[in-house]
Amino acid sequence: AQRVTQPEKLLSVFKGAPVELKCNYSYSGSPELFWYVQYSRQRLQLLLRHISRESIKGFTADLNKGETSFHLKKPFAQEEDSAMYYCALSPTGNQFYFGTGTSLTVIP
Amino acid sequence: ETGVTQSPTHLIKTRGQQVTLRCSSQSGHNTVSWYQQALGQGPQFIFQYYREEENGRGNFPPRFSGLQFPNYSSELNVNALELDDSALYLCASSLTGDGMRYTFGSGTRLTVV
């Protein structure tokens, strides 16, 4: 069965420090993986997709099939990065399996 | 370009009642998905509609049903409400073939008492 695990419910880092939000998944095939972000009082929005190999707002995520991980990283955290982050997996293209989310707080 | 709008924003219902939630898709999007987000959890997939047909369903009982209209707007209906149905219900629209770029609505907060 498909499952997405985000082991940290809460994560705090200081401004300028590196940040890594962990995501592990369970899926037997080749998944499509995503990171979604929800800023305070805003709706859930797509941050990045692994198939695009893109960097959005300084964030990157590498799919590691051996470790079944898709960790989100940013070298220098900014205060505006404080938000709820959800890792999501899509096996079929028509639905997402979301993790429980990590609340990131960047301390000034 | 309009985003995804959901109505109502908040709703209180009594156990056993029925509820209808509405979603207006982003302009140009032909696919709509519904998710349930319980407190402290990630969104859980309920079902998806494409061209007015159900195109995938999550692990939800038949009392959760939906409709998609020719203008791509959508409804989520829940019958025989239970206390555990209390959650935020999210609608997301997308354009098939666009790499699953979902646009989410702000959600409807349903409380069942």
Side-chain angles (χ1 to χ4, degrees):
Chain A
Q2 302 87 350
R3 187 169 62 243
V4 175
T5 303
Q6 293 180 251
E8 304 137 329
K9 282 196 93 63
L10 302 170
L11 183 63
S12 296
V13 299
F14 285 100
K15 178 182 173 181
V19 61
E20 180 180 69
L21 290 88
K22 291 185 168 51
C23 172
N24 290 91
Y25 67 90
S26 172
Y27 180 61
S28 57
S30 294
E32 295 197 28
L33 286 149
F34 304 77
W35 277 97
Y36 275 81
V37 61
Q38 187 166 27
Y39 300 102
S40 179
R41 287 186 287 278
Q42 293 188 27
R43 56 191 67 190
L44 198 59
Q45 59 186 283
L46 177 66
L47 180 62
L48 57 79
R49 305 173 296 167
H50 96 273
I51 56 173
S52 302
R53 299 188 183 281
E54 55 203 345
S55 173
I56 304 294
K57 300 185 179 182
F59 284 97
T60 58
D62 290 320
L63 176 61
N64 185 323
K65 291 187 178 180
E67 295 182 0
T68 59
S69 67
F70 188 56
H71 303 328
L72 183 69
K73 300 177 184 179
K74 184 170 182 177
F76 307 104
Q78 302 299 314
E79 289 179 65
E80 56 265 30
D81 296 330
S82 295
M84 193 74 176
Y85 290 81
Y86 293 96
C87 181
L89 175 155
S90 179
T92 61
N94 72 342
Q95 64 177 280
F96 286 109
Y97 290 87
F98 284 88
T100 52
T102 297
S103 178
L104 174 66
T105 300
V106 180
I107 304 165
Chain B
E1 181 179 274
T2 58
V4 175
T5 56
Q6 293 187 241
S7 62
T9 54
H10 296 83
L11 199 54
I12 300 175
K13 288 286 190 178
T14 303
R15 189 172 50 183
Q17 284 188 312
Q18 177 266 343
V19 68
T20 297
L21 310 182
R22 294 180 173 82
C23 172
S24 178
S25 299
Q26 179 166 313
S27 176
H29 284 184
N30 57 11
T31 301
V32 65
S33 304
W34 285 91
Y35 286 80
Q36 180 196 66
Q37 187 173 19
L39 204 60
Q41 301 297 316
Q44 285 195 58
F45 177 72
I46 303 175
F47 43 57
Q48 182 184 85
Y49 278 82
Y50 170 62
R51 291 185 175 179
E52 303 174 56
E53 299 279 337
E54 189 177 284
N55 184 41
R57 189 179 182 92
N59 190 26
F60 280 81
R63 60 189 184 84
F64 285 77
S65 63
L67 283 173
Q68 185 184 31
F69 300 100
N71 65 355
Y72 303 126
S73 65
S74 176
E75 287 182 356
L76 164 66
N77 298 288
V78 187
N79 293 322
L81 283 167
E82 301 176 359
L83 297 179
D84 285 349
D85 296 333
S86 295
L88 181 68
Y89 288 85
L90 296 169
C91 170
S93 72
S94 61
L95 180 61
T96 299
D98 192 26
M100 297 193 69
R101 289 184 181 275
Y102 276 28
T103 300
F104 278 86
S106 298
T108 294
R109 173 73 61 187
L110 172 65
T111 302
V112 182
V113 297

